[in-house]
């Protein structure tokens, strides 16, 4: 008979991880981030239009629709665009969403909640990489969407996303675990009304020989029907079967045709931004592409300087 499987050593228990986060919050090590998060949540971002303001926005009204990219376009997003422009797929997706929402709401700034896997290496002696549990974290990002076309929006939004401190983990720690003024300042402010979650390529995780794999059919409801929906729009994107699919969740205050038009507009903007990145071979050099540079005042001058040295 085959030898019994040998599993790698277990990683940090979920209970120990949460205890360390509580200690981290109480230590005040993240308090310096508080001003950044409070500024992200300040009033002034464009309010989302609503079709039926009187409709109750509860889980009973949960609806969703999805849009997809073709296989060739998805391959370009995952491989050709990063090679041509140093942009990551999620950065292009977020930039397209910010531009779409800004046009819809009629304002120069949008407020999003970005959701990530949350398994960050915060402590040298803690490893949550194989720990069972929900580590996903959400954090707000306030995005100024400039005029000037696809390149300008890609440049600006990418820089703002990359400027998020600590990949966003500190926000939840401060808001939910930090007692006193640092946490109170965040708890007192309403969060974003739109959530974006980039799930990446989960098929690469669920290999054919894996012990576990996603099941068939829709999962059971996770919330009571009368629970309020935390976001007006919930956008999640992943690659399945070689194609990018984005699910748009919404509630009773928005009509399906409104959300469908938004999702279709997002796809059009996404395609335009991908074309820009591929056609120009660069979305514009960004300061974060040269983090060790002595000056970040004029990143667009760098290519000219390199040409003079050639």
């Amino acid at each position: 008979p085959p030898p019994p499987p040998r599993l790698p050593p277990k990683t940090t228990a979920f209970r120990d991880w949460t205890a360390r986060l509580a200690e981290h919050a109480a230590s005040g090590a993240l308090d310096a981030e508080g001003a950044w998060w409070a500024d992200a949540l300040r009033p002034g971002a464009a309010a989302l239009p609503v079709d039926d303001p009187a409709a109750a926005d509860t889980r009973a009204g949960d609806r969703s629709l999805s849009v997809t990219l073709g296989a060739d376009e998805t391959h370009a997003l995952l491989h050709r665009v990063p090679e041509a422009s140093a942009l990551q797929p999620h950065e292009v997706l977020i930039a397209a969403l910010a531009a779409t929402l800004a046009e819809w709401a009629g304002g120069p700034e949008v407020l999003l909640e970005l959701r990530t896997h949350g398994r960050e290496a915060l402590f040298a002696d803690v490893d949550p990489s194989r720990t069972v549990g929900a580590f996903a974290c959400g954090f707000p990002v306030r995005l100024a969407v400039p005029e000037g076309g696809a390149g300008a929006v890609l440049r600006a939004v990418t820089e703002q996303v990359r400027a998020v401190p600590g990949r966003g983990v500190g926000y939840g720690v401060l808001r939910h675990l930090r007692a006193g003024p640092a946490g109170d300042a965040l708890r007192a402010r309403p969060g974003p009304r739109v959530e974006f979650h980039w799930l990446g390529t989960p098929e690469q995780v669920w290999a054919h020989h894996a012990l576990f794999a996603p099941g068939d059919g829709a999962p059971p409801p996770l919330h009571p029907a009368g629970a309020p929906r935390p976001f007006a729009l919930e956008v999640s994107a992943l690659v399945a079967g070689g194609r990018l699919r984005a699910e748009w969740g919404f509630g009773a205050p928005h009509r399906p045709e409104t959300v469908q038009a938004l999702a279709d507009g997002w796809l059009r903007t996404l395609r335009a931004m991908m074309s820009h990145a591929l056609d120009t071979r660069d979305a514009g050099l960004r300061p974060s592409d040269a983090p060790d540079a002595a000056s970040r005042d004029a990143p667009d001058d760098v290519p000219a300087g390199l040409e003079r040295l050639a």
Side-chain angles (χ1 to χ4, degrees):
R6 291 187 177 183
L7 298 178
K10 65 178 259 185
T11 54
T12 305
F14 190 78
R15 179 186 61 186
D16 296 336
W17 166 254
T18 57
R20 287 297 298 275
L21 284 183
E23 293 172 2
H24 197 43
S27 73
L30 294 171
D31 287 3
E33 292 185 9
W36 199 96
W37 299 117
D39 182 68
L41 294 174
R42 73 183 187 275
L48 299 181
V50 176
D51 294 321
D52 185 359
D57 198 10
T58 66
R59 288 296 182 184
D62 273 349
R63 290 172 286 182
S64 67
L65 55 86
S66 63
V67 292
T68 60
L69 273 183
D72 290 343
E73 293 172 309
T74 299
H75 182 271
L77 174 68
L78 296 180
H79 303 287
R80 294 178 57 211
V81 167
E83 292 171 359
S85 65
L87 290 164
Q88 296 304 306
H90 72 277
E91 294 170 340
V92 186
L93 298 174
I94 293 169
L97 180 60
T100 302
L101 293 175
E103 181 179 3
W104 180 46
E109 290 187 326
V110 297
L111 183 61
L112 300 179
E113 174 144 321
L114 303 184
R115 185 161 290 270
T116 66
H117 58 73
R119 296 174 186 263
E120 306 295 345
L122 295 180
F123 316 106
D125 59 339
V126 171
D127 176 14
S129 61
R130 300 183 61 252
T131 304
V132 176
F135 284 78
C137 75
F139 55 89
V141 59
R142 190 185 192 93
L143 299 173
V145 182
E147 298 179 354
V153 175
L154 279 169
R155 228 176 357 254
V157 170
T158 297
E159 277 302 291
Q160 293 170 83
V161 170
R162 294 181 182 180
V164 171
R167 293 177 59 85
V169 175
Y171 171 74
V173 175
L174 287 172
R175 186 178 184 111
H176 301 294
L177 300 177
R178 181 62 166 139
D184 293 342
L186 300 182
R187 287 187 286 271
R189 302 195 180 199
R193 299 294 295 138
V194 179
E195 179 193 55
F196 177 77
H197 192 184
W198 168 234
L199 294 166
T201 54
E203 289 178 332
Q204 296 178 4
V205 178
W206 303 108
H208 68 278
H209 59 274
L211 294 176
F212 303 98
D216 296 328
L222 298 177
H223 311 279
R229 302 183 74 258
F231 303 99
L233 295 173
E234 298 165 307
V235 184
S236 60
L238 57 78
V239 175
R243 298 168 61 112
L244 175 79
R245 185 178 81 241
E247 187 99 0
W248 288 65
F250 58 101
H254 289 102
R255 294 193 298 265
E257 53 267 33
T258 297
V259 180
Q260 184 69 62
L262 273 177
D264 291 342
W266 174 71
L267 275 187
R268 287 193 299 272
T269 303
L270 175 61
R271 290 181 171 116
M273 289 183 172
M274 290 170 56
S275 295
H276 173 86
L278 293 171
D279 292 345
T280 63
R281 301 295 300 173
D282 198 349
L285 189 66
R286 295 162 298 280
S288 56
D289 291 327
D292 297 326
S295 171
R296 293 188 172 195
D297 293 336
D300 291 329
D301 292 340
V302 174
L306 293 177
E307 291 176 0
R308 288 195 294 270
L309 293 174

